[in-house]
Amino acid sequence: MENHVAKPDPASPIVLVIGTTGQVGKLIVEEFDRDLGNVRVRYAARKPERVDELRAAGRDAVRLDLDDPRTFAHALYGVDRVYLLTGYTVAMLAQSKTLVDAAVKAGVGHIVHQGVFANWDVTDPHFVWHQMIERYIEGSGLAWTHLHPNVFMDGLASEIATNDGAFSVYWDNRRVGWIAARDIAAVAATVLRQGPSRHGGKEYWLSTEVASGPEVAAILSDVLDREISCDVRGPEEFLASIAKRGLTVESWYADAGVEFNRQVIDGRMGYIGTVRDDVEFVTGRPSTSLRQWGKENLTD
Ligand SMILES: NC(=O)c1ccc[n+]([C@@H]2O[C@H](COP(=O)([O-])OP(=O)(O)OC[C@H]3O[C@@H](n4cnc5c(N)ncnc54)[C@H](OP(=O)(O)O)[C@@H]3O)[C@@H](O)[C@H]2O)c1
């Protein structure tokens, strides 16, 4: 692959977006396609073919593997703002620590981190990992903005599509807070366009509607005019479902998932079932309801 990065121009900040093939990242690409604002965007991807694809579409793109810090200097050269998104893995700890260190060395000014919807004293391991990363970012001396999304509505789509209109929840019949990935992407892109003078030191909470699994199923059935059903299960069935679906999930991560469901049910993470909606504060437009998300994402 050719060694290629955009030439930095001090007049226009450069934003590096990580995770561009994922649920949220691909929507951030769309957000910037729609409105670049006063920034230039460099997209990072782990797979060389994805980098080629992005470049073929006229975008600045660079290879970055979060598990290989040797790829960081090239990706971060000249960058002013970074969107730090990691996948569903405990490796997020080492990935984020090394990326933040490299960002400091490269002269980055602002890190925007995609975390979780957590109280400060949460004990669920996955949530704890994200908080450790946030504390590390704050200690780095870089300006920061933390995004705290609750459960992604978009996680429902593939299960509903492949499971004959049914999805499962493992938090019994408790209510949880939902957020559309498109809203996370819109908040992320706005923060990255406007930068640290407006958003530095801010935390944005992204939990826009509260509903139990059966309530979500009822809303979606009504919107789509066909039956969507919810299989209500408990935490202990979560591991079995991973195995049944043939998914490869690290045991640390899977156990944290069980713990999340347990704590939502026993009330230690009862705050997961609350609305805290900062979407309109940041983007100027209302957040997406479950009804609207269903219409936009599930109609054939
Ligand atoms: N799902 C939820 O309800 C929920 C709720 C709150 C917070 N979150 C947080 O959201 C984050 C996940 O967001 P998402 O659903 O958009 O993720 P996703 O769809 O799983 O996508 C992950 C992205 O990260 C990239 N990536 C993974 N490993 C990488 C590596 N070693 N180097 C470079 N890139 C790598 C992937 O690229 P490849 O294509 O190369 O794999 C992909 O673009 C997690 O941190 C999770 O804790 C999720």
Side-chain angles (χ1 to χ4, degrees):
M1 198 189 317
E2 191 195 337
N3 198 26
H4 162 91
V5 291
K7 196 171 178 330
D9 171 1
S12 163
I14 297 186
V15 166
L16 181 75
V17 179
I18 297 172
T20 54
T21 50
Q23 294 189 90
V24 175
K26 65 177 191 251
L27 298 175
I28 297 179
V29 178
E30 288 183 18
E31 284 290 328
F32 280 123
D33 281 353
R34 200 177 45 71
D35 176 11
L36 202 48
N38 185 33
V39 293
R40 287 176 299 154
V41 184
R42 180 179 302 162
Y43 296 105
R46 164 165 58 173
K47 297 180 189 102
E49 57 274 24
R50 172 64 179 156
V51 175
D52 291 342
E53 227 176 83
L54 285 158
R55 287 184 187 162
R59 301 186 179 97
D60 182 9
V62 69
R63 183 166 177 272
L64 181 146
D65 181 350
L66 286 165
D67 293 317
D68 183 359
R70 290 171 301 180
T71 62
F72 294 175
H74 180 64
L76 287 166
Y77 176 66
V79 166
D80 300 285
R81 303 170 189 165
V82 171
Y83 192 66
L84 177 54
L85 186 161
T86 49
Y88 299 88
T89 166
V90 65
M92 67 167 72
L93 285 168
Q95 293 172 342
S96 302
K97 190 267 181 195
T98 51
L99 196 281
V100 170
D101 293 345
V104 170
K105 287 198 254 182
V108 168
H110 185 197
I111 297 221
V112 182
H113 174 248
Q114 180 173 314
V116 283
F117 193 82
N119 266 3
W120 72 273
D121 58 351
V122 71
T123 60
D124 170 73
H126 167 216
F127 282 54
V128 168
W129 303 333
H130 270 300
Q131 284 186 329
M132 299 283 281
I133 292 165
E134 283 163 8
R135 298 297 86 78
Y136 193 76
I137 292 171
E138 289 163 21
S140 73
L142 302 178
W144 54 265
T145 307
H146 302 326
L147 306 191
H148 299 293
N150 212 332
V151 182
F152 296 0
M153 295 176 191
D154 305 66
L156 298 165
S158 63
E159 206 184 339
I160 287 174
T162 55
N163 198 25
D164 208 16
F167 66 93
S168 306
V169 296
Y170 299 90
W171 46 74
D172 209 341
N173 59 358
R174 299 300 187 278
R175 288 177 158 172
V176 302
W178 299 88
I179 176 79
R182 179 163 300 288
D183 287 348
I184 307 170
V187 168
T190 306
V191 170
L192 292 163
R193 282 185 208 109
Q194 296 176 347
S197 60
R198 190 169 178 121
H199 298 286
K202 299 267 177 62
E203 309 201 46
Y204 294 122
W205 298 88
L206 307 172
S207 176
T208 59
E209 186 172 350
V210 165
S212 68
E215 285 169 341
V216 170
I219 291 168
L220 297 179
S221 301
D222 188 42
V223 165
L224 303 176
D225 203 19
R226 65 184 164 96
E227 196 191 339
I228 303 294
S229 60
C230 176
D231 197 0
V232 177
R233 295 169 178 239
E236 312 312 326
E237 292 166 281
F238 182 67
L239 293 181
S241 87
I242 290 175
K244 195 173 145 207
R245 284 188 282 164
L247 302 174
T248 319
V249 181
E250 297 156 1
S251 63
W252 281 92
Y253 205 92
D255 290 345
V258 174
E259 187 59 17
F260 170 82
N261 293 306
R262 268 193 208 124
Q263 294 200 16
V264 169
I265 291 170
D266 72 21
R268 279 176 289 165
M269 290 180 78
Y271 55 85
I272 288 294
T274 56
V275 168
R276 283 183 82 177
D277 183 355
D278 290 337
V279 172
E280 194 162 6
F281 285 108
V282 178
T283 66
R285 62 132 174 99
S287 50
T288 307
S289 65
L290 278 159
R291 288 190 78 81
Q292 197 182 338
W293 176 84
K295 246 184 240 165
E296 287 168 7
N297 291 277
L298 300 179
T299 37
D300 318 307

